[in-house]
Amino acid sequence: MLFGRKHKNPIKIADKGVVEWKYTTCGYCSTGCSIEVGLDRSGAAVASRGAAGADVNRGKLCIKGIFEHELFESAGRGSVPLMRRSRLDAFAETDWDSALDHVGAEIKRIQAAHGRDSFAIVSTGQIMTEEFYTLGKLARGAIGTNNYCGNTTLCMASAVSGYKRSFGSDGPPGCYEDFEHTECLMAFGSNLPEQHPIIFWRLKMALEQRKFPVIVVDPRVTMFAQMADMHLPITPGTDVVLLNALAHVILKEGLADQAYIDAHTNGAEAFAALVAQYDPVSASKICGIDEDTIRNVARLYAKAGAAMTIWTMGINQSTHGSDGVVAINNLNLITGNIGKPGSTSLSITGQANAMGTREWGSTTGLPGYRYLEKDTDRQEVADFWGIDAEFFPRQRGLAMTDILPAIETGQIKGLWLVATNPMTSMPNTARIRKTLEKLEFLVVQDAYRDVETNEYSHVYLPAAVWAEKEGVFTNTERRVNLVRNVQKPHGDSKPDFWIFNQIAKRFATERKIPSFPETTEGAFEEMKALSKGRMLDYSGMSYAMLEQQKGVQWPCTEGAASGTQRLYADGKFQYDDGRAKLIPLPYVENNEVPCDDYPFWLNSGRVVEHFHTRTRTGKMGNLNKFSPTPYMEMNPDAAKPLGIAHGSYARLTTRRGDAVVMVQLTQRVPRDMVFIPFHFHECVNRLSLGLLDPHSRQPAYKQCAVRIEPAPDQHAAAVHNVAARAY
Ligand SMILES: Nc1nc2c(c(=O)[nH]1)N[C@H]1C(S)=C(S)[C@@H](COP(=O)(O)OP(=O)(O)OC[C@H]3O[C@@H](n4cnc5c(=O)[nH]c(N)nc54)[C@H](O)[C@@H]3O)O[C@H]1N2
Ligand SMILES: Nc1nc2c(c(=O)[nH]1)N[C@H]1C(S)=C(S)[C@@H](COP(=O)(O)OP(=O)(O)OC[C@H]3O[C@@H](n4cnc5c(=O)[nH]c(N)nc54)[C@H](O)[C@@H]3O)O[C@H]1N2
Ligand code: SF4
Ligand SMILES: [Mo]
């Protein structure tokens, strides 16, 4: 018998014939990995690899990045503009000028008939920052609608709102390098190994160098929870209660950093009075974490030399999302854990460039974290753009989640969607369908023509995707990364940047509007000028520097050799008096909770191989093969009495609608909860309620109540249907 590797056939890596590697940045999640795309002799993209020397990913990529080059030629891409009179007609192909003239004319018609704000624009977190800046200029300075928002309302709005309330400004203060210094890490509602695999890898690397406790708060036993030292399976939607109780113990036991509180915060007394009510015994009854664990975690966190908290959608997507973020900030302020190595409140961002739109998109304000409500901010931007400040609205308009209901009530008549697919991603699909059907005019601007929302559009504008264009993304740690152009746009699709500029030309004759740079680098220069001296200073950056350093963290002031790792290192916050706020957070129970008729919690989220509504990853065999079918995680003990078996199908019903999914039995979910990845159309969002957070308007996707029953085998049903049609 022969043993050992040397007698086996060695693994052969296929030679893809790469003749050139081109630098760019991954376009999926907000980790911000540097990628090199390999081109063969014919110029076709045939491989992707992590860029060595990039501080973020150090040569690594996750499964999505590894196959990203397949995106360019994936199925369903749009190659020419399409138009039709009504959504019931068939689309006809058209040329760009006709499509853009029509869009310009319809926006003007609707605004003339129903007022400026009756035409709404909803964008995304997935285009380049220069594109966001240009769209913001177009929306605020030329079209002039105040109902302009982004899908970031579904994603990061609670983090933005919480940062603003605590620190006086948006802007995640920490960085990945904090893992290398922290002595205690707490993670709320984040499944890092699947959703940000390379940030997770950075954490693992840090843990290999030096052990420190990791505490994961999540109702599911996620992959992250499995590797944690402590897993706190919290009752859904009650994180604020747990956080108040942690603060209670810290203050009561004298573990707080009183010097930091005195020097850098306001509101300590009112905060202490509120958390006094959240003793661990009472809190445990609400949040489901026992009193001793609460005390232990509080002591561990407060006594650590440096402690940090990260969080993602388990916090943000809740009716207490903004409060959850503030509660995390409160915890870090009372323990002096902000702005020091290993000490931070780090929101893990979602989409590749959700940060870019927050900084420069003007959706909630004006570029560079400026406010519509502040006279000096309005004047600065108006002067820079060469327009009258009076043209800007006095305060921000509707959020995405309020724009759709405003279509229902007839307040909004026209909508332009840029890189977002609400028919699959917004809660309560039936209601979204009704609103889209009611629109007089809908433009869908997307890289894929087969995106579900396009079924309701009057005009479809085919956009170039990812590295078919050029610009920058900002990642979770405020690192500005360069997306270099790798391929020509597919067919006759065009970069969003070009499309915005062309629409702007349609508004040039009306009155004085801003001028629009022809190149993305021109737009970048404008952003640099507008950022100078501000917290998010870009003025020291250039495209060449971004490529050479593989990303630069803002602020990067003029002449600086590199960026800045942390904000608030000097304890000076963005409120006028330089102090952060400690904010009392009374908890009010307002979720739809399980009851006799709907006995299960319905939780939703993601899996590693898919991205969002699968317009991209659903087309790639190497990713789609891992989960091609809508499914749910269900606990075997709960499934048994219902007669539901592994691999069978189940029908789920909520007060909104129903859906059929395949069943995966797993102990990952508790007995009273099921989890469904939201990637599939006509699935979990037919069921979800999506109550809105009062501060951020973000939907509570992760909490509602559902009933479950066995369903007939769907494979047999599908075969039967095909057979029936054949006759
Ligand atoms: N593979 C992949 N990666 C992605 C994405 C993707 O689609 N696919 N999308 C990107 C985007 S835009 C985003 S926003 C991020 C999202 O990244 P994550 O937030 O990490 O992902 P989710 O699966 O949405 O939710 C995370 C966890 O929240 C938990 N949770 C549910 N309810 C509660 C609660 O009440 N409290 C707490 N503490 N936890 C709760 C869920 O059980 C789930 O495990 O991922 C980004 N990365
Ligand atoms: N139930 C449930 N629902 C959820 C969530 C959840 O956890 N549970 N999570 C929510 C979150 S955090 C998010 S971020 C949203 C995401 O929701 P969506 O924004 O609807 O998700 P995507 O599928 O990423 O849609 C982006 C669209 O942009 C297109 N696109 C990609 N690149 C470009 C480009 O460069 N230009 C143009 N013009 N188009 C491009 C893609 O083809 C795709 O159609 O979903 C939310 N919905
Ligand atoms: S971790 Fe995120 S940024 Fe990095 S390769 Fe994966 S999807 Fe891309
Ligand atoms: Mo997101």
Side-chain angles (χ1 to χ4, degrees):
M1 256 289 214
L2 292 170
F3 293 100
R5 291 187 64 87
K6 68 179 176 196
H7 297 290
K8 291 213 174 133
N9 291 331
I11 297 165
K12 280 205 187 110
I13 297 176
D15 180 5
K16 302 270 183 63
V18 173
V19 294
E20 184 188 1
W21 292 97
K22 277 198 173 173
Y23 174 81
T24 194
T25 301
C26 178
Y28 287 114
C29 87
S30 69
T31 302
C33 295
S34 292
I35 286 199
E36 288 171 348
V37 176
L39 304 179
D40 70 9
R41 198 152 287 135
S42 72
V46 290
S48 306
R49 69 180 187 192
D55 184 56
V56 168
N57 55 311
R58 306 173 185 182
K60 294 267 187 302
L61 291 177
C62 83
I63 188 169
K64 289 180 296 304
I66 286 171
F67 294 110
E68 202 156 357
H69 59 280
E70 295 185 3
L71 207 74
F72 297 122
E73 291 309 322
S74 52
R77 291 291 308 274
S79 46
V80 278
L82 305 172
M83 281 209 290
R84 59 183 167 189
R85 197 161 327 155
S86 101
R87 60 180 181 80
L88 301 173
D89 298 326
F91 272 125
E93 294 189 354
T94 186
D95 58 274
W96 274 102
D97 268 339
S98 310
L100 294 165
D101 283 345
H102 185 55
V103 171
E106 279 293 276
I107 297 174
K108 288 177 194 170
R109 178 187 68 76
I110 288 170
Q111 288 189 314
H114 308 285
R116 256 163 60 173
D117 296 340
S118 64
F119 186 83
I121 305 173
V122 173
S123 84
T124 182
Q126 298 178 42
I127 56 177
M128 316 296 170
T129 309
E130 294 82 346
E131 297 177 329
F132 284 129
Y133 173 72
T134 306
L135 176 59
K137 204 176 192 180
L138 176 61
R140 296 266 176 236
I143 295 175
T145 174
N146 197 16
N147 291 323
Y148 161 50
C149 192
N151 72 357
T152 37
T153 303
L154 314 178
C155 184
M156 302 314 300
S158 296
V160 173
S161 154
Y163 276 140
K164 283 184 179 168
R165 288 166 71 200
S166 297
F167 303 147
S169 172
D170 186 18
C175 59
Y176 308 153
E177 207 233 6
D178 283 320
F179 299 144
E180 288 159 36
H181 305 281
T182 198
E183 291 173 23
C184 181
L185 182 135
M186 190 143 57
F188 282 87
S190 159
N191 189 11
L192 211 59
E194 291 206 59
Q195 269 65 86
H196 301 87
I198 301 298
I199 302 183
F200 178 69
W201 174 75
R202 289 285 304 269
L203 173 62
K204 288 282 283 184
M205 292 276 286
L207 280 164
E208 277 175 24
Q209 301 293 319
R210 187 180 47 88
K211 180 67 194 140
F212 53 88
V214 173
I215 304 156
V216 169
V217 186
D218 194 309
R220 292 161 69 218
V221 193
T222 57
M223 208 190 282
F224 201 8
Q226 288 171 45
M227 64 71 70
D229 298 289
M230 294 176 85
H231 171 218
L232 277 47
I234 192 155
T235 301
T238 65
D239 299 77
V240 171
V241 175
L242 172 62
L243 282 152
N244 278 345
L246 295 175
H248 175 104
V249 176
I250 290 167
L251 293 183
K252 191 164 177 205
E253 299 190 1
L255 301 172
D257 184 341
Q258 199 56 48
Y260 192 89
I261 296 174
D262 293 344
H264 302 299
T265 70
N266 286 320
E269 268 176 41
F271 175 69
L274 187 277
V275 299
Q277 300 166 29
Y278 288 82
D279 61 277
V281 179
S282 315
S284 71
K285 303 272 187 295
I286 305 170
C287 72
I289 306 302
D290 70 86
E291 53 174 300
D292 285 328
T293 302
I294 294 175
R295 286 192 199 96
N296 282 337
V297 170
R299 289 169 193 151
L300 194 64
Y301 199 86
K303 288 180 182 171
M308 65 187 284
T309 308
I310 61 171
W311 76 91
T312 321
M313 289 307 130
I315 288 285
N316 288 359
Q317 289 172 348
S318 150
T319 54
H320 305 99
S322 171
D323 281 358
V325 174
V326 171
I328 289 169
N329 296 337
N330 284 339
L331 175 71
N332 286 322
L333 287 168
I334 62 166
T335 52
N337 277 310
I338 296 285
K340 294 183 249 169
S343 293
T344 193
S345 277
L346 183 62
S347 145
I348 306 289
T349 314
Q351 305 163 82
N353 203 22
M355 281 290 293
T357 184
R358 284 153 71 174
E359 297 163 11
W360 296 103
S362 304
T363 51
T364 60
L366 290 167
Y369 287 158
R370 287 179 174 84
Y371 291 90
L372 282 164
E373 294 80 3
K374 219 167 142 181
D375 283 331
T376 47
D377 286 357
R378 300 163 62 84
Q379 203 56 53
E380 269 172 25
V381 177
D383 289 347
F384 188 80
W385 286 351
I387 61 167
D388 184 352
E390 283 311 305
F391 190 66
F392 296 142
R394 282 273 153 206
Q395 59 186 40
R396 76 162 287 190
L398 298 176
M400 179 185 194
T401 43
D402 292 312
I403 285 176
L404 276 288
I407 298 169
E408 218 168 23
T409 56
Q411 191 186 335
I412 287 173
K413 307 283 185 192
L415 175 65
W416 179 8
L417 292 172
V418 180
T420 184
N421 184 15
M423 269 305 289
T424 303
S425 59
M426 284 194 74
N428 198 346
T429 310
R431 189 171 175 201
I432 300 301
R433 176 179 291 112
K434 240 173 58 192
T435 62
L436 295 181
E437 283 177 355
K438 206 172 165 189
L439 283 167
E440 281 180 21
F441 186 62
L442 173 65
V443 193
V444 166
Q445 177 171 326
D446 201 286
Y448 290 84
R449 69 172 187 286
D450 64 359
V451 56
E452 289 86 14
T453 306
N454 204 21
E455 283 179 31
Y456 301 84
S457 76
H458 300 84
V459 174
Y460 165 70
L461 303 176
V465 78
W466 182 47
E468 290 175 349
K469 42 188 190 170
E470 184 168 66
V472 300
F473 287 160
T474 309
N475 79 352
T476 290
E477 53 170 4
R478 306 180 327 282
R479 187 182 295 271
V480 181
N481 282 310
L482 184 62
V483 183
R484 276 271 187 228
N485 176 228
V486 168
Q487 287 275 298
K488 282 205 306 286
H490 171 82
D492 196 23
S493 68
K494 300 282 185 193
D496 297 278
F497 185 77
W498 181 90
I499 300 172
F500 300 145
N501 271 340
Q502 298 305 312
I503 300 273
K505 292 198 170 109
R506 269 78 186 170
F507 284 80
T509 51
E510 305 294 295
R511 55 175 180 82
K512 201 173 167 203
I513 66 160
S515 71
F516 287 79
E518 291 289 325
T519 63
T520 53
E521 215 161 349
F524 190 72
E525 289 303 320
E526 289 199 3
M527 287 155 44
K528 279 167 61 177
L530 274 170
S531 75
K532 206 165 167 183
R534 297 187 67 83
M535 182 165 83
L536 77 178
D537 201 324
Y538 274 45
S539 58
M541 298 179 197
S542 67
Y543 277 10
M545 180 186 187
L546 297 180
E547 175 162 358
Q548 195 259 325
Q549 299 194 10
K550 313 255 186 305
V552 173
Q553 287 166 286
W554 65 251
C556 173
T557 50
E558 197 165 18
S562 60
T564 313
Q565 285 183 301
R566 294 175 190 87
L567 302 179
Y568 311 130
D570 55 0
K572 266 196 74 184
F573 293 89
Q574 289 290 308
Y575 276 114
D576 288 341
D577 63 359
R579 286 167 171 266
K581 280 198 173 123
L582 285 167
I583 302 173
L585 304 163
Y587 171 78
V588 182
E589 167 62 72
N590 61 352
N591 271 313
E592 182 182 77
V593 299
C595 59
D596 287 349
D597 288 340
Y598 302 96
F600 291 89
W601 283 108
L602 173 58
N603 182 357
S604 67
R606 306 156 154 76
V607 292
V608 64
E609 61 272 18
H610 278 308
F611 195 80
H612 292 175
T613 69
R614 288 165 71 245
T615 57
R616 289 180 268 177
T617 52
K619 314 292 176 33
M620 292 185 203
N622 282 319
L623 300 174
N624 197 44
K625 67 185 177 194
F626 296 107
S627 49
T629 311
Y631 73 94
M632 73 168 167
E633 296 178 355
M634 185 178 196
N635 189 295
D637 296 335
K640 206 169 174 191
L642 294 174
I644 292 176
H646 186 72
S648 72
Y649 288 84
R651 178 162 170 265
L652 290 86
T653 313
T654 64
R655 293 183 177 88
R656 272 79 47 201
D658 66 347
V660 173
V661 292
M662 192 185 252
V663 179
Q664 184 189 94
L665 293 186
T666 168
Q667 302 284 354
R668 205 174 298 139
V669 280
R671 282 183 72 148
D672 63 347
M673 176 182 286
V674 293
F675 175 85
I676 304 186
F678 91 96
H679 307 294
F680 305 93
H681 183 53
E682 298 285 1
C683 188
V684 73
N685 282 330
R686 283 169 64 95
L687 306 163
S688 56
L689 167 60
L691 283 178
L692 300 180
D693 178 282
H695 298 277
S696 68
R697 312 306 287 158
Q698 182 157 350
Y701 281 111
K702 297 202 175 343
Q703 288 98 32
C704 72
V706 65
R707 180 168 68 226
I708 301 169
E709 60 205 335
D713 181 15
Q714 299 298 301
H715 180 68
V719 171
H720 181 79
N721 280 345
V722 172
R725 231 178 293 134
Y727 287 99

